[in-house]
Amino acid sequence: MPIKILSEELASQIAAGEVVERPSSVVKELIENALDAGADQITILIREAGKRLIEVIDNGAGIPTVELPLALHRHATSKINDAGDLFRVATLGFRGEALASIGSVSQLTLLSRVQKDDLGASIKVEGGEIKKSSRVGIPPGTTVRVEQLFYNVPARLKFLKTDRTEKRHINDVASRYGLANPGVRFKLYQDDELVFQTSGNGSTREVISAIYGLGTARKMIEVIYEDELLGVRGFISPPGLTRSNRREILFYVNGRPIQDPALATALCQAYHTLVMKGRYPLGVIFLEITPGKVDVNVHPTKAEVRFEDKGEIFKAVGKAARRALLANTPVPEISRLGGVDLWAGSPADRSHIQRGVDPDWGMLERTSQGGAFDPAADSQQIPSSLGTPILRLIGQVAATYLIAEGPDGLYLIDQHAAHERVLFEKFLTDKSGNLPSQTLLEAIVVDFSPASSDLVRENLATLRKLSFDVEEFGGGSFKIRAVPALLKGVSPEEILRAAVEDLEVDETPLEKNQEELIIARVCKKAAVKAGQVLSPEEGKQLLLDLEKCQSPRTCPHGRPTMIHLSVGLLEKKFGRTGAI
Ligand code: ADP
Ligand code: MG
């Protein structure tokens, strides 16, 4: 084929491939435009996870009627003039690509009016072609309506995730800009339902409350730090408030949300020894860096930036967070209600839970294996198809493994894996409302982020089947009245969070799997931890329960619950084979 210049439409579609990956990318670009136009009210309407409609309404400066068609033109921008501007951009946008790209893969209507004009104008584009323009009476500001996204690129449509996931991305994007712009009133609706709104009164903590709930907002610790190179301010969670992933660690550079795993790591390191492995803090952190010291034009959606002094910036983040944490000396939380016993049952009912070692700290004490012998090499892992032999408990080692004698030698049982298996099977055999449930003395209200509250809502039926009594309390909060009696002694809030956090990551269409997934997560959270000292009675009970399991030899995640050192192997190791 001869070389030829691509048509404007095709070029835009190719650019759209980079800029408009999914509905939330559109939301991001439109919010940025509204912010660049100086709006202090931004309303976002979404239908069908953005596939049917994304509409962003702002009260910003507007676009003069004569410039309206230009706004939809590729590489048309009012934000920079020359290359020099590129290194001091103060606006969120500058590439002049977004509207053209979005317009090439959707049906886009742009309505705008500047304050001084009496009328505004509207222009409609379909697949990049202008179809209609007219004068309209509208309030000052701009509305961008994007309908039938990807209608002309079916491949893109096919690669979209479930509505739930796409909605979550949209909620995340809107939340991120809301957090960075507390002076702007944001409202986000999904299918007519208000997901969140902010007051626009300038308080970041209030935005945190609107998005993560009041309880979280109250606990967050303020960070304020400054050195010659940069300013670091924002909010981070105290060590007692963590998540199972880093999704709620948000960084901004000069007001622009950015993704930089290394920055998140710098924050997490500040919590070293304060939170257990696998748990992550929450953070909303704004870095202010002289524009010349950071290059924002390295990524098509501007999600990544390049720093001149990367190392120094990470150090400053760590230092800022560490100082804030130390200034707010962590007080270990006994329970949300300050040590009140939430459990109606007697203390003796708290079977092998929370003895001696606080479970949150238990993992840190875990003794490493290895040394004299390597269990993986020197022992046999037992095929999982078999049941367990009758075991006699001998003791516990490293507060993590039970030692038992069986008909053919020595068994080491991982107490956490074993307990997970026991709980898992109890749930599976007794579910459908037959599981005894335990009513809390006082109902507990738990706040979730918009994305997680969707998940709780969607799984309410499953949770009820598992004998949770949970109901929606409004505004992303849920009230827990009762939990399965099996989970006695474990924080109901943590259990509920464990059940739904990250769920979409292991997304699976089969409802049954979803249910098992939830059960497995709950059991993981509720099972006795490594590092917890068990009494001989508790150890024995655990072995008895394990014997009754259908698949006692693996935990629900497939790891072994026990390893076996046969008498034969012991004899060999001690050089006894053949000896008298
Ligand atoms: P960029 O934001 O990179 O300049 P866009 O394609 O997003 O490129 O927008 C093109 C131009 O249209 C902007 O430079 C701006 O002048 C105008 N524009 C877009 N959205 C708005 C809005 N909501 N309010 C005012 N002007 C807007
Ligand atoms: Mg833009």
Side-chain angles (χ1 to χ4, degrees):
M1 277 206 290
I3 301 177
K4 53 181 184 286
I5 293 181
L6 297 174
S7 73
E8 177 71 14
E9 189 190 343
L10 194 51
S12 291
Q13 281 192 9
I14 292 169
E18 282 193 319
V19 182
V20 193
E21 191 194 341
R22 57 187 351 153
S24 65
S25 338
V26 173
V27 175
K28 168 185 186 295
E29 295 294 339
L30 300 184
I31 293 177
E32 289 196 348
N33 282 346
L35 290 169
D36 282 347
D40 63 10
Q41 284 183 33
I42 301 178
T43 301
I44 305 149
L45 309 174
I46 306 294
R47 283 197 190 284
E48 294 178 17
K51 287 183 285 197
R52 175 177 282 266
L53 173 78
I54 296 168
E55 183 167 327
V56 176
I57 306 155
D58 72 51
N59 65 346
I63 306 169
T65 302
V66 288
E67 290 180 20
L68 217 48
L70 260 189
L72 291 159
H73 209 275
R74 217 150 69 84
H75 305 308
T77 179
S78 58
K79 298 171 192 174
I80 53 171
N81 277 315
D82 55 40
D85 286 350
L86 257 190
F87 295 96
R88 46 176 179 267
V89 264
T91 50
L92 294 162
F94 56 84
R95 298 170 70 106
E97 264 182 341
L99 285 186
S101 300
I102 298 165
S104 73
V105 292
S106 69
Q107 296 164 7
L108 186 151
T109 310
L110 180 59
L111 303 119
S112 197
R113 181 192 141 192
V114 293
Q115 181 82 48
K116 67 172 174 46
D117 290 349
D118 297 332
L119 278 181
S122 105
I123 184 168
K124 188 164 182 181
V125 175
E126 226 178 274
E129 261 177 67
I130 297 187
K131 292 280 179 206
K132 204 164 75 188
S133 59
S134 56
R135 312 283 315 205
V136 286
I138 46 166
T142 304
T143 294
V144 184
R145 188 178 300 143
V146 177
E147 290 164 289
Q148 311 300 340
L149 182 64
F150 299 138
Y151 79 101
N152 54 352
V153 265
R156 264 291 144 97
L157 212 48
K158 218 171 62 200
F159 278 105
L160 292 185
K161 297 277 168 49
T162 58
D163 280 6
R164 180 175 70 211
T165 302
E166 297 301 337
K167 278 161 101 174
R168 174 170 73 71
H169 283 290
I170 292 170
N171 295 349
D172 285 351
V173 163
S175 309
R176 293 200 75 166
Y177 285 92
L179 287 162
N181 300 277
V184 178
R185 274 180 72 167
F186 276 86
K187 276 189 199 165
L188 168 65
Y189 292 87
Q190 298 257 20
D191 300 311
D192 292 324
E193 203 186 311
L194 181 65
V195 178
F196 75 86
Q197 68 175 326
T198 64
S199 70
N201 75 354
S203 153
T204 306
R205 204 186 280 273
E206 267 192 37
V207 182
I208 292 177
S209 170
I211 291 166
Y212 297 114
L214 186 60
T216 299
R218 282 209 181 120
K219 286 185 203 150
M220 297 292 272
I221 298 169
E222 190 159 8
V223 179
I224 305 174
Y225 174 93
E226 204 155 336
D227 63 21
E228 319 77 63
L229 188 66
L230 80 166
V232 182
R233 54 176 199 90
F235 291 88
I236 59 176
S237 62
L241 177 60
T242 58
R243 296 285 193 260
S244 63
N245 58 61
R246 298 172 168 211
R247 222 165 57 211
E248 283 162 26
I249 298 178
L250 310 177
F251 275 95
Y252 300 79
V253 171
N254 301 342
R256 186 191 300 282
I258 58 145
Q259 278 157 17
D260 192 328
L263 280 174
T265 303
L267 176 67
C268 293
Q269 277 169 1
Y271 287 77
H272 182 60
T273 73
L274 297 178
V275 302
M276 78 180 200
K277 267 216 183 83
R279 300 298 299 179
Y280 304 94
L282 288 78
V284 181
I285 297 181
F286 303 97
L287 307 180
E288 294 297 335
I289 306 173
T290 319
K293 299 230 174 258
V294 52
D295 185 357
V296 293
N297 190 26
V298 295
H299 191 268
T301 64
K302 296 158 283 172
E304 285 164 24
V305 296
R306 194 179 292 141
F307 301 111
E308 206 180 275
D309 302 292
K310 206 169 168 137
E312 288 303 313
I313 288 169
F314 296 149
K315 255 190 247 161
V317 167
K319 228 193 271 175
R322 195 78 196 174
R323 276 193 196 171
L325 286 172
L326 289 178
N328 291 265
T329 318
V331 184
E333 245 182 49
I334 294 172
S335 84
R336 273 172 71 91
L337 298 180
V340 177
D341 190 353
L342 301 173
W343 301 92
S346 71
D349 283 348
R350 302 182 178 207
S351 55
H352 31 263
I353 310 285
Q354 295 207 345
R355 283 182 41 114
V357 188
D358 176 343
D360 275 357
W361 294 86
M363 296 297 274
L364 296 173
E365 252 104 72
R366 190 170 194 160
T367 321
S368 70
Q369 350 167 304
F373 77 87
D374 171 5
D378 283 343
S379 66
Q380 295 150 270
Q381 193 179 308
I382 305 150
S384 60
S385 56
L386 304 172
T388 71
I390 306 289
L391 297 173
R392 182 176 69 83
L393 182 73
I394 300 172
Q396 193 188 23
V397 63
T400 298
Y401 307 103
L402 300 179
I403 313 169
E405 186 189 4
D408 182 32
L410 183 72
Y411 290 76
L412 286 169
I413 295 100
D414 180 315
Q415 64 193 39
H416 173 70
H419 194 208
E420 252 184 298
R421 164 55 65 187
V422 167
L423 289 174
F424 186 72
E425 294 208 1
K426 282 188 178 159
F427 266 111
L428 278 189
T429 40
D430 288 340
K431 67 181 180 202
S432 306
N434 293 334
L435 273 172
S437 79
Q438 168 96 40
T439 306
L440 305 180
L441 283 183
E442 263 180 85
I444 293 179
V445 175
V446 188
D447 303 319
F448 285 94
S449 67
S452 300
S453 62
D454 274 358
L455 287 170
V456 183
R457 202 172 298 124
E458 272 170 44
N459 288 296
L460 275 179
T462 306
L463 290 168
R464 290 202 183 108
K465 221 157 132 190
L466 303 178
S467 294
F468 281 89
D469 182 350
V470 181
E471 78 181 36
E472 194 160 3
F473 199 53
S477 298
F478 291 82
K479 191 179 238 176
I480 314 178
R481 287 223 179 73
V483 294
L486 274 177
L487 305 182
K488 230 175 337 190
V490 191
S491 147
E493 165 168 5
E494 279 182 33
I495 293 284
L496 189 58
R497 283 199 192 285
V500 297
E501 264 177 9
D502 265 350
L503 206 52
E504 70 284 7
V505 174
D506 335 57
E507 212 161 7
T508 148
L510 292 171
E511 202 200 303
K512 179 164 170 279
N513 292 353
Q514 178 91 341
E515 186 177 302
E516 282 192 13
L517 203 65
I518 289 182
I519 297 180
R521 288 155 159 272
V522 164
C523 294
K524 184 170 184 61
K525 186 83 219 176
V528 58
K529 300 288 181 295
Q532 282 176 247
V533 179
L534 301 189
S535 71
E537 290 67 41
E538 291 166 342
K540 274 183 208 155
Q541 189 58 50
L542 183 54
L543 293 184
L544 281 176
D545 288 344
L546 191 62
E547 275 168 28
K548 291 191 205 117
C549 286
Q550 296 267 333
S551 318
R553 309 217 158 179
T554 55
C555 80
H557 306 94
R559 279 183 294 106
T561 54
M562 59 176 81
I563 54 179
H564 176 204
L565 300 169
S566 68
V567 174
L569 181 76
L570 291 174
E571 284 180 339
K572 213 170 88 199
K573 288 280 157 190
F574 285 108
R576 282 187 161 274
T577 321
I580 314 254

